[in-house]
Amino acid sequence: MKGVTVINHPLVQHNLTRLRDGRTAPQEFRRVLAEVATLMIYEATGSFTLKTVRVKTPLETTTGSQLRHEVILVPVLRAGLGMLEAILQLIPHARVGFIGLKREETTLQATSYHKSLPKNLKPFEVVLIDPMLATGGSAVAALNLLRQHRAERIRMVNLVSAPEGIRTVRKSYPNLPIFTAAIDRQLNARGYILPGLGDAGDRLFGV
Ligand code: PRP
Ligand code: URA
């Protein structure tokens, strides 16, 4: 699918299988999700733009590179929190915004209950983080919020995606880069991804 990068790195796929395994308890699930987030963010940030800067080594002045734009990570609560800390280890200077969304169980509509974002996201590279892209309702709601805050450079990292969710996001955001470890088969009648890994928030936090 156009603009969707499936990260097939063996360590990502190995860890994804452990996360899919229903026997993996929250403590282990948190640890493995953090590991996989580290690997995924390496790939997802590969097209960040650089600017050339001068740098003085102890011996002489030379040219080097710096990220052109400030980075802001935006995990979608709750499950996005499971990827945040590990990503911050790799990008410690990143700022962090939060979007709280809850999908209603019967309608599958995402309702926003929290938002903590700078007014102006225009100067930033924005990385939207959510392990699950199911119907795509939460992703579109989060992306709309980011656009309301004037974000121009957005990429999204989802561990597991459903084809339905990708199609929904594509209707509103045809050029958004999406990085995922898997495009699964389909959604079930309750909006869960098949084969998926279950409810990511519940798997992470045990409730
Ligand atoms: C999950 C997941 C996504 C959303 C995906 O969150 O973390 O945010 O569902 O579903 P969608 O693509 O159909 O919108 P949930 O609403 O269950 O909240 P939680 O993380 O607090 O459990
Ligand atoms: N949210 C999840 O956490 N898992 C799914 O399969 C779908 C939505």
Side-chain angles (χ1 to χ4, degrees):
M1 287 190 207
K2 188 173 156 280
V4 181
T5 304
V6 179
I7 303 171
N8 278 316
H9 191 288
L11 294 176
V12 170
Q13 295 304 319
H14 174 85
N15 282 330
L16 172 60
T17 303
R18 292 167 71 194
L19 294 171
R20 287 192 193 279
D21 189 333
R23 294 169 301 183
T24 304
Q27 185 181 3
E28 176 73 351
F29 191 93
R30 283 195 288 272
R31 198 182 63 72
V32 178
L33 182 59
E35 272 177 35
V36 90
T38 308
L39 297 162
M40 289 186 75
I41 201 66
Y42 182 78
E43 183 80 28
T45 55
S47 59
F48 272 0
T49 50
L50 294 170
K51 63 181 178 191
T52 302
V53 293
R54 300 287 287 167
V55 61
K56 271 189 194 167
T57 77
L59 302 174
E60 62 178 36
T61 299
T62 184
T63 55
S65 300
Q66 264 179 8
L67 293 181
R68 182 173 290 278
H69 304 286
E70 260 201 86
V71 179
I72 184 163
L73 309 173
V74 183
V76 176
L77 307 177
R78 292 177 297 169
L81 289 178
M83 301 174 83
L84 176 66
E85 278 304 319
I87 295 175
L88 275 172
Q89 295 290 320
L90 278 196
I91 320 175
H93 56 273
R95 295 212 224 171
V96 182
F98 295 94
I99 294 176
L101 291 169
K102 186 71 196 162
R103 204 172 71 143
E104 209 276 318
E105 277 181 20
T106 46
T107 64
L108 303 182
Q109 295 296 310
T111 307
S112 162
Y113 61 85
H114 179 74
K115 178 185 77 167
S116 170
L117 296 169
K119 271 200 181 70
N120 183 14
L121 286 169
K122 196 170 172 181
F124 290 90
E125 296 272 11
V126 182
V127 185
L128 182 62
I129 303 162
D130 192 333
M132 308 307 278
L133 175 60
T135 65
S138 303
V140 169
L143 290 162
N144 290 346
L145 274 175
L146 296 175
R147 290 291 296 141
Q148 282 163 24
H149 283 249
R150 303 177 62 204
E152 289 182 350
R153 281 172 292 276
I154 312 174
R155 61 198 65 212
M156 184 162 69
V157 180
N158 306 110
L159 179 69
V160 181
S161 305
E164 294 91 328
I166 295 174
R167 278 197 294 273
T168 298
V169 170
R170 276 284 164 265
K171 278 188 205 139
S172 305
Y173 295 93
N175 299 317
L176 176 86
I178 300 173
F179 296 87
T180 188
I183 302 175
D184 275 8
R185 193 176 71 248
Q186 66 183 100
L187 298 178
N188 71 10
R190 293 173 54 224
Y192 281 91
I193 301 174
L194 297 176
L197 49 74
D199 185 309
D202 292 3
R203 299 284 315 275
L204 265 169
F205 301 114
V207 282

